[in-house]
């Protein structure tokens, strides 16, 4: 099977599996325990915090660990909203977010917060004029992803952050970009961010978030002693060690990897566009390992199932099992018709992707639309 | 180091590490993906569900996976409260619960639910007469742990369940008893339960809960597609595989293990009681691998730190790093003075515990109180 669904999930790298095994055998103590077994686990945890922080040029004091990207988004957004609600209850987000961001926003809306969505440009970026218009005196939080998993388009975070200024807390879901793009969190003016381990060749059920130590937050649950009250539950030191190892390993290879990915991406586009395939969103300002495509007249889900029959695994955008799924709202916001949006399928490369696999993929896609 | 803190956390068994590695390499697909990599992960997930369900004689349809014991307690209690609030908003719990149960209860109290606590008997069990008195027409949920991690005393779940009848949903935190006691969830009249992986030699950040398919619940967040809406986030199939393997492996060895643990426990008590050590709670109706002790005139935290200096890791009840910690409320509820309650330290055995370690522990404890 050719696996081209690396934006959905990745296999663990051998370095990560190794690190996991070693930590599970030797650093299994509860990091909150006061005995030596606890203290040793706690030291390793602090080391991992520094390692994750280094990859985004952030203060390690702002790193908290979670059970994955969804948990990072939900826990961070709720904690930021609760911690800043005295200043206002207005929150802005975008139509390009992961379902977990909308789950958090719906919860906040039920609790009396006002949630608004910024308009989108046809190229897949948020409309900065619309953002400026939405900003109010009581806006406390803006959450806009670094790159959408559906479109792969990279958002102009530095411009957004600059526009927001110091008064509004700026959160960005960086699950799709962490350790896959160069990130300097301060340069981007981002105050808080979410990361996932299993998108960067680490274990599932592990993730992290960053909240600038300058920003106020209040945990979802009262009386939590773990992670300064951010999240209840025994901290998974072996999983976190494997996560940090996986991310650091990926980041080291990144310059050459992203160069290869970019060439694979552009090569595929050059082959496919003349055959009636269309790219969603900007051709250049996008993740180098990501293609959001449609073939005229074909549903994305059908393309995905046909490719699967031909030994290639990719995703039909939604990665959702419900058969009556709505078309991706990101594509509707960019001005596409529901029919066009339903055509979405997503190819995403990873560390192990070879040129042979890319050529075979082009061949299979061509075969599907000509059969 | 002699590790006698197995009620706090356990090392992963070699079987679990092996299972984890294999699943991480071969079943890494997102179980919601419709391609073969997703389908294979989904099949393995369903197999694990059956395996976990078998250990408690439950319907696999009622098994959901979480990121650990705390998450199991919080997600289950909130989901049960939200799903049944039309029938009433009165909830009963006990003074023997894990902090995560109180975190969930405090959240519910803030949202307008009425939470009451059952009284305790001096032997560490809940007072059934008090429970009967607390029951109201609008009681929708009772949550009482199977065994307290602080006292180790086993609660009479079958009597409680029988008393509650079919109208009240009965949840039990089984984190300390799962795969360590024989559990038949239907015989105990339990409708919902919480389990943790890292207490049974599986990975951290993994857990499960059971909710009888007959019982109504409503997930905390709207629009969740994973696990029938119970919990957002990519399901950690490798972690769950390791969890199921660890639990099944432990359960197989249980008859001989619990026999050994019971003998170690009683041997230690016979040595320590004449030296001025006191047991908290019932001597017989307790976890075979657990001792809740105090030494007259010594703080539990001091005992723990002295033991640590002598190469033995156990816990001082609270497993909490705050220095100004309150005495365990479970012990106060049993009628102990704050001074007595502050004396608590907890020894808990595991699969690797040897008689030599138990003898050395007796020797060290004796040395500490006589130095």
């Amino acid at each position: 099977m050719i696996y081209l669904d690396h934006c959905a999930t990745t296999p663990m790298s051998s370095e990560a599996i190794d690190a996991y095994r070693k930590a599970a055998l030797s650093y299994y103590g509860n990091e909150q325990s006061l005995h030596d077994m606890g203290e040793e686990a706690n030291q390793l945890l602090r080391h991992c915090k520094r390692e994750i922080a280094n990859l985004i040029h952030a203060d390690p004091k702002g790193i908290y660990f979670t059970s994955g990207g969804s948990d990072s988004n939900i826990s961070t957004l709720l904690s930021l909203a609760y911690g800043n609600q005295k200043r206002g209850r207005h929150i802005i987000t975008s139509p390009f977010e992961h379902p977990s961001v909308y789950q958090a926003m719906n919860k906040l809306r039920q609790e009396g917060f006002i949630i608004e969505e910024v308009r989108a440009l046809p190229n897949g970026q948020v409309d900065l004029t619309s953002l400026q218009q939405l900003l109010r005196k009581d806006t406390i939080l803006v959450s806009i992803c670094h790159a959408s998993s559906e479109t792969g388009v990279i958002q102009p975070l530095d411009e957004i952050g600059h526009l927001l200024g110091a008064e509004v807390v700026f959160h960005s879901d960086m699950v799709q970009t962490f350790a896959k793009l160069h990130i300097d969190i301060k340069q981007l003016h981002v105050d808080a961010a979410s990361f996932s381990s299993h998108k960067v060749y680490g274990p599932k059920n592990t993730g992290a978030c960053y909240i600038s130590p300058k920003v106020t937050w209040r945990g979802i649950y009262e009386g939590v002693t773990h992670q300064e009250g951010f999240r209840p539950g025994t901290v998974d030191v072996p999983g976190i060690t494997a996560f940090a190892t996986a991310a650091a390993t990926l980041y080291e290879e990144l310059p050459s990897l992203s160069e290869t990915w970019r060439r694979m991406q552009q090569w595929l586009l050059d082959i496919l566009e003349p055959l009636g395939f269309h790219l969603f969103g900007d051709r250049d300002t996008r993740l180098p390992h990501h293609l959001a495509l449609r073939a005229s007249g074909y549903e994305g889900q059908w393309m995905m199932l046909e490719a699967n029959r031909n030994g290639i695994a990719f995703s039909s955008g939604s990665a959702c099992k419900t058969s009556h799924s709505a078309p991706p709202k990101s594509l509707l916001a960019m001005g596409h018709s529901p029919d066009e949006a339903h055509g979405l399928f997503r190819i995403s490369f990873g560390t192990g992707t070879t040129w042979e696999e890319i050529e075979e993929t082009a061949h299979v896609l061509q075969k599907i639309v000509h059969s």
Side-chain angles (χ1 to χ4, degrees), chain A residues 69-91:
Chain A
S70 292
D71 185 13
S72 292
N73 279 332
I74 293 174
S75 295
T76 307
L77 290 170
L78 265 53
S79 298
L80 290 173
Y82 298 156
N84 293 278
Q85 61 185 331
K86 277 186 191 153
R87 297 193 295 114
R89 309 199 102 204
H90 184 246
I91 297 171

Side-chain angles (χ1 to χ4, degrees), chain A residues 356-367:
Chain A
E356 287 70 32
E357 291 178 337
I358 295 297
E359 282 164 21
E360 172 67 8
T361 302
H363 172 73
V364 165
L365 288 174
Q366 187 165 5
K367 201 175 80 176

Side-chain angles (χ1 to χ4, degrees), chain A residues 263-276:
Chain A
R263 279 191 290 130
M264 289 174 167
Q265 179 192 57
Q266 299 298 319
W267 184 87
L268 264 178
L269 272 180
D270 289 343
I271 297 273
L272 294 175
E273 280 186 331
L275 299 172

Side-chain angles (χ1 to χ4, degrees), chain A residues 60-130:
Chain A
K61 279 205 274 304
I63 301 289
Y64 304 91
F65 292 102
T66 69
S67 69
S70 292
D71 185 13
S72 292
N73 279 332
I74 293 174
S75 295
T76 307
L77 290 170
L78 265 53
S79 298
L80 290 173
Y82 298 156
N84 293 278
Q85 61 185 331
K86 277 186 191 153
R87 297 193 295 114
R89 309 199 102 204
H90 184 246
I91 297 171
I92 301 170
T93 187
S94 90
F96 297 115
E97 305 302 315
H98 186 263
S100 56
V101 170
Y102 301 124
Q103 286 153 16
M105 294 299 177
N106 283 337
K107 185 85 183 159
L108 290 169
R109 190 178 280 121
Q110 286 164 12
E111 294 172 0
F113 288 85
I114 299 151
I115 317 292
E116 290 192 283
E117 268 180 35
V118 68
R119 275 200 308 273
L121 298 171
N123 75 348
Q125 292 193 312
V126 298
D127 181 342
L128 296 181
T129 315
S130 157

Side-chain angles (χ1 to χ4, degrees), chain A residues 21 23 28 38 42 61 83 108-109 115 151 175 198 250 258 284 312 334 342 354 363 371:
Chain A
R21 204 183 134 271
Y28 58 83
N42 188 270
K61 279 205 274 304
L108 290 169
R109 190 178 280 121
I115 317 292
T151 69
V175 164
H198 76 99
L250 177 62
S258 56
D284 299 315
I312 301 175
M334 286 158 67
H342 266 305
T354 63
H363 172 73
S371 64

Side-chain angles (χ1 to χ4, degrees), chain A residues 156-299:
Chain A
L157 295 192
D158 48 350
E159 291 177 63
I160 299 168
H162 190 73
L163 193 152
L164 296 182
E167 286 307 294
V168 181
V169 180
F170 183 22
H171 168 265
S172 182
D173 174 356
M174 294 186 161
V175 164
Q176 295 296 342
T177 55
F178 175 64
K180 293 180 176 175
L181 293 183
H182 172 81
I183 295 174
D184 185 324
I185 208 118
K186 279 171 206 148
Q187 227 162 47
L188 294 173
H189 307 284
V190 166
D191 300 305
S194 306
F195 318 106
S196 166
S197 155
H198 76 99
K199 313 281 192 196
V200 298
Y201 307 90
K204 294 177 172 62
N205 256 15
T206 302
C209 64
Y210 167 76
I211 303 180
S212 161
K214 289 178 194 155
V215 168
T216 314
W217 56 267
R218 205 191 79 204
I220 304 175
Y221 301 102
E222 277 177 18
V224 173
T225 56
H226 293 90
Q227 303 204 71
E228 295 156 63
F230 184 73
R231 186 175 177 275
T234 302
V235 177
D236 177 15
V237 174
I240 288 163
T241 308
F243 171 29
T245 303
T249 307
L250 177 62
Y251 196 73
E252 264 177 44
E253 295 170 38
L254 199 59
S256 71
L257 262 178
S258 56
E259 171 80 24
T260 307
W261 286 340
R262 183 69 75 193
R263 279 191 290 130
M264 289 174 167
Q265 179 192 57
Q266 299 298 319
W267 184 87
L268 264 178
L269 272 180
D270 289 343
I271 297 273
L272 294 175
E273 280 186 331
L275 299 172
F277 289 84
H278 305 274
L279 179 70
F280 286 106
D282 204 274
R283 179 158 177 155
D284 299 315
T285 315
R286 66 166 43 253
L287 297 171
H289 53 284
H290 186 292
L291 280 172
L293 296 165
R294 70 180 172 91
S296 296
Y298 295 91
E299 285 227 334

